[in-house]
Amino acid sequence: MSHSPPTEEHDAAHRSVEFKCSVREFENLLQENLRVAYTVALRLCGSRDDAEDLLQEAAVQAFKNFGAYTSGTNFRAWFLKVLTNIFLNQRRRKQREPATTPIEDATDLYMYSMAKRAGCKPGGGDPAATLLERVSTAQIAEAIDSLPEEFSLAAWLYFVDELPYAEIAEILGCPVGTVRSRLHRGRKLLQKQLWELAEPHMASGSKARKRE
Amino acid sequence: MLPIINLYTCNEALDRLQDYLDHELSDREALLVKRHLKICHECSKKFAFEGQLVSFVRGRVQEEALPEGLMERLSVRLAQADD
């Protein structure tokens, strides 16, 4: 196959075709991962409007830097990294301090132990669901948000996207061991908060049962 | 030849609870945890509870409905960025 010498016009046309293909490819890749990306954005931002703004900004930046994405690698992790970085930069620019919870370590198996101590039998059926059924999704989201930032970011990626530790590490730019310890500690802190949300319902539920 | 005894204690199994639930253990370690859970009812209950808790939270925070027309709006922004 012979190649004619490239002209300026040819080069421009060629670049344009390549770029158009990349746009289409980009949109296809984005479409495949849109639900997860939007849910992560929503959980990070807390409102639908802010989530869409974040997603749009991430889409534009990722598209402009699409050359940095290696075809065939994990697009979702790459895109979520772009999205998470924009979120963190915006937050820092606004100098809004992330919500924090004083870090008082909870014990392992906190909810299990507390439920058992409170007289629940966390053995049969789906006791976790029974304990938390009256806690709203918004309350659960708030509980995750209120964790210190390094824990809440990892927790959102873990809960929303079920990513393996290695991918979370790639997105957050930290070692896998750091992700493991953040998730471990974050999970304990979260259990403490969830228990505080679940406990009042548990008490009112048992009173109601006694009255019946 | 004597069989190699490979059983985790409760503490050894519980130390691996999170990694086990998240499929982050090596095959060998996961097998040893499984063996322990088969013979230890108390640990089995704890592992089940923790697994259900994660599933419950995931069930609540995942699968958010997409706003109508989101992809179309994104396409418009991308087209603008392309100009």
Side-chain angles (χ1 to χ4, degrees):
Chain A
M1 191 178 155
S2 65
H3 291 279
S4 53
T7 60
E8 258 183 46
E9 200 178 322
H10 171 271
D11 272 0
H14 189 63
R15 270 199 304 274
S16 171
V17 168
E18 270 188 344
F19 198 52
K20 291 293 176 201
C21 286
S22 293
V23 174
R24 210 173 304 130
E25 186 187 0
F26 182 84
E27 283 187 342
N28 287 340
L29 288 167
L30 188 60
Q31 177 96 56
E32 283 168 23
N33 296 285
L34 196 58
R35 185 176 295 279
V36 163
Y38 176 74
T39 308
V40 169
L42 180 65
R43 297 307 175 201
L44 293 178
C45 296
S47 87
R48 289 183 169 272
D49 286 348
D50 289 347
E52 185 164 338
D53 287 347
L54 174 61
L55 189 59
Q56 289 202 5
E57 185 59 30
V60 169
Q61 279 203 25
F63 171 63
K64 285 181 176 171
N65 294 300
F66 195 50
Y69 167 68
T70 310
S71 182
T73 59
N74 189 337
F75 177 80
R76 189 175 59 178
W78 181 76
F79 185 74
L80 289 176
K81 186 174 188 171
V82 173
L83 188 143
T84 308
N85 282 340
I86 294 171
F87 169 75
L88 290 174
N89 287 336
Q90 284 177 349
R91 179 136 89 180
R92 278 167 201 144
R93 268 205 304 275
K94 287 178 190 167
Q95 292 184 316
R96 208 183 75 204
E97 286 296 316
T100 54
T101 302
I103 305 183
E104 287 172 38
D105 263 338
T107 51
D108 282 323
L109 295 158
Y110 186 82
M111 278 194 83
Y112 180 88
S113 312
M114 295 304 282
K116 215 172 169 188
R117 199 180 297 171
C120 293
K121 288 181 182 167
D126 189 342
T130 309
L131 279 173
L132 290 169
E133 63 188 352
R134 294 194 199 178
V135 178
S136 71
T137 300
Q139 286 176 307
I140 292 173
E142 268 174 42
I144 298 175
D145 268 339
S146 69
L147 297 175
E149 184 176 273
E150 71 264 35
F151 300 131
S152 68
L153 277 177
W156 278 129
L157 294 167
Y158 171 79
F159 283 119
V160 171
D161 205 8
E162 302 189 31
L163 292 174
Y165 296 173
E167 279 186 39
I168 298 177
E170 196 186 322
I171 293 168
L172 298 179
C174 62
V176 173
T178 306
V179 169
R180 176 177 279 106
S181 66
R182 283 181 188 176
L183 286 176
H184 185 66
R185 200 148 171 221
R187 191 135 76 176
K188 286 199 286 183
L189 292 169
L190 182 63
Q191 285 205 13
K192 211 171 176 182
Q193 305 226 41
L194 291 179
W195 173 251
E196 280 169 22
L197 293 167
E199 195 184 14
H201 296 300
M202 216 179 74
S204 63
S206 65
K207 273 179 200 161
R209 277 193 294 278
K210 275 180 191 168
R211 277 199 298 272
E212 281 165 9
Chain B
M1 193 176 141
L2 288 172
I4 298 166
I5 298 171
N6 266 328
L7 284 177
Y8 279 151
T9 62
C10 291
N11 281 341
E12 284 171 329
L14 289 170
D15 280 347
R16 290 165 175 81
L17 187 153
Q18 178 181 291
D19 283 348
Y20 178 78
L21 294 176
D22 296 341
H23 310 289
E24 296 279 346
L25 286 183
S26 67
D27 290 347
R28 185 178 175 277
E29 282 180 302
L31 181 69
L32 290 174
V33 171
K34 252 183 216 165
R35 281 186 190 165
H36 178 80
L37 296 181
K38 271 190 185 165
I39 58 164
C40 181
H41 184 56
E42 192 56 35
C43 282
S44 182
K45 280 196 294 185
K46 290 173 181 169
F47 272 65
F49 182 87
E50 294 294 308
Q52 286 158 356
L53 190 59
V54 171
S55 298
F56 181 86
V57 173
R58 282 190 168 145
R60 283 294 191 84
V61 301
Q62 284 178 344
E63 293 297 316
E64 195 59 46
L66 290 176
E68 212 170 301
L70 176 64
M71 193 61 218
E72 288 72 21
R73 289 192 291 282
L74 284 168
S75 293
V76 170
R77 280 293 301 273
L78 291 171
Q80 287 167 352
D82 189 18
D83 287 339

